[in-house]
Amino acid sequence: MPVLLCPGAATSRWLGFGAGVVEALGVRLVAVDRPGLGASTPAPGRTFSDFAGDIRQLCVLRGLGHPAVVGNSQGAPFALVRRTGHQPLAR
């Protein structure tokens, strides 16, 4: 079962749950660095919708289908936009 992790601020894809734990549950944990976090390049001016589009492409390229999504701390709004049809939460 694929699960997409959107980590919070000051963390990155290295935020983990322990490989043995997720493997024992049959989870394929996929964590993504947002622009400017972890090893990614900053991309000023990007929106929630831009992120959702990036994740949509990642899911297609990696064959994830429609994974479950978990957001931690500041990653929660990014997880929500992924689950709400890729539309901005507020205008």
Side-chain angles (χ1 to χ4, degrees), residues 43-70:
R46 303 226 349 130
T47 66
F48 285 124
S49 293
D50 294 331
F51 175 79
D54 292 344
I55 295 304
R56 186 171 48 248
Q57 287 182 326
L58 174 71
C59 290
V60 169
L61 291 172
R62 296 292 183 185
L64 300 177
H66 299 283
V69 181
V70 176

Side-chain angles (χ1 to χ4, degrees), residues 3-91:
V3 176
L4 180 70
L5 172 64
C6 299
T11 62
S12 68
R13 67 185 182 279
W14 299 111
L15 174 70
F17 296 94
V21 173
V22 294
E23 287 176 11
L25 295 172
V27 170
R28 178 181 175 193
L29 186 63
V30 178
V32 180
D33 287 339
R34 295 189 313 274
L37 297 178
S40 68
T41 303
R46 303 226 349 130
T47 66
F48 285 124
S49 293
D50 294 331
F51 175 79
D54 292 344
I55 295 304
R56 186 171 48 248
Q57 287 182 326
L58 174 71
C59 290
V60 169
L61 291 172
R62 296 292 183 185
L64 300 177
H66 299 283
V69 181
V70 176
N72 174 56
S73 188
Q74 194 180 46
F78 293 89
L80 286 171
V81 77
R82 171 68 181 116
R83 296 307 304 169
T84 58
H86 315 298
Q87 298 300 316
L89 297 176
R91 294 183 189 261

